[in-house]
Amino acid sequence: AKNVDERRTAIYAILKYGLGNDVPTDTFLECAQSDDVNVRIAVIRALMVFGKSDVDVLRFLENALGDQSLAVRRSAAVAIARLPIAGDARPEVLVRALDDKDNLVKASAAWTIARMGPRAREAVPILGRLVSQKTGLDGEPYLRVRRACAHALKSMGIEARPAIPHLMVALRNPISDVRDTSCRTLAAIGPEAR
């Protein structure tokens, strides 16, 4: 399908009738090159629904984290976090996503980093900063970011050492999960955390 309306209609039909397993991944990725935001979002949804999970899909989703459309970035961030091969994501892409203005993108990136563990050690400075921040601009949803960042730091074990000062601040967080995970992260770091 060459024009935008045909692509959008085709993707929606594939989703509606469950035909995605019969469609090669390359076809989805070709459709995703559309200038239409709704087509890109529909492709990301189809990739998730039909479990398309290979390096090409992962790279497409990583690139979508830089999309101008917030809806596309959100969809891509959630999709990457759910991919079976999320641990193969490029850490530098996820570090950039942690700087996104949107909290859902940040939290999803942090959950993906949690699946990567020490391989994503370059994220430690920003994870530390985010876990200890008081509030985001939009208030309550920022708690999800802090929780996800605390879990990501915990997955790093001793590699989270540079975040010790931030984790100490997070111990005073009103959210018990953030406090508990920060405490466990400090324990995983070991005696240096004292």
Side-chain angles (χ1 to χ4, degrees), residues 114-187:
R115 291 178 62 191
M116 297 171 74
R119 194 172 81 73
R121 72 180 60 80
E122 67 193 73
V124 169
I126 191 168
L127 289 168
R129 181 174 50 82
L130 291 171
V131 80
S132 65
Q133 281 185 340
K134 299 291 183 215
T135 59
L137 294 175
D138 52 358
E140 186 67 24
Y142 199 75
L143 297 175
R144 280 185 263 159
V145 174
R146 288 187 281 185
R147 183 179 298 125
C149 289
H151 282 277
L153 286 166
K154 180 177 176 262
S155 77
M156 306 259 178
I158 199 160
E159 295 295 332
R161 275 188 313 254
I164 290 173
H166 297 289
L167 290 163
M168 298 303 279
V169 170
L171 290 174
R172 295 186 299 270
N173 191 290
I175 304 301
S176 64
D177 189 33
V178 173
R179 287 192 314 271
D180 294 345
T181 305
S182 297
C183 185
R184 277 182 258 154
T185 301
L186 289 165

Side-chain angles (χ1 to χ4, degrees), residues 1-13:
K2 293 290 183 205
N3 87 29
V4 172
D5 290 333
E6 288 176 1
R7 283 182 182 185
R8 185 175 29 230
T9 301
I11 296 295
Y12 288 147

Side-chain angles (χ1 to χ4, degrees), residues 37-190:
V37 170
N38 293 318
V39 171
R40 295 195 306 273
I41 293 169
V43 167
I44 292 169
R45 184 166 168 231
L47 291 168
M48 280 181 22
V49 167
F50 298 111
K52 304 289 185 175
S53 180
D54 61 34
V55 174
D56 291 335
V57 169
L58 180 59
R59 297 301 173 244
F60 159 69
L61 293 170
E62 287 175 338
N63 289 334
L65 287 174
D67 200 282
Q68 290 182 335
S69 164
L70 173 58
V72 171
R73 291 195 317 273
R74 281 181 165 182
S75 297
V78 169
I80 289 173
R82 292 181 179 173
L83 278 179
I85 63 168
D88 294 332
R90 294 177 292 180
E92 66 274 11
V93 173
L94 296 167
V95 168
R96 283 194 302 273
L98 289 171
D99 260 337
D100 198 280
K101 293 176 182 161
D102 184 70
N103 288 332
L104 179 60
V105 173
K106 287 179 185 182
S108 296
W111 284 116
T112 302
I113 289 169
R115 291 178 62 191
M116 297 171 74
R119 194 172 81 73
R121 72 180 60 80
E122 67 193 73
V124 169
I126 191 168
L127 289 168
R129 181 174 50 82
L130 291 171
V131 80
S132 65
Q133 281 185 340
K134 299 291 183 215
T135 59
L137 294 175
D138 52 358
E140 186 67 24
Y142 199 75
L143 297 175
R144 280 185 263 159
V145 174
R146 288 187 281 185
R147 183 179 298 125
C149 289
H151 282 277
L153 286 166
K154 180 177 176 262
S155 77
M156 306 259 178
I158 199 160
E159 295 295 332
R161 275 188 313 254
I164 290 173
H166 297 289
L167 290 163
M168 298 303 279
V169 170
L171 290 174
R172 295 186 299 270
N173 191 290
I175 304 301
S176 64
D177 189 33
V178 173
R179 287 192 314 271
D180 294 345
T181 305
S182 297
C183 185
R184 277 182 258 154
T185 301
L186 289 165
I189 292 171

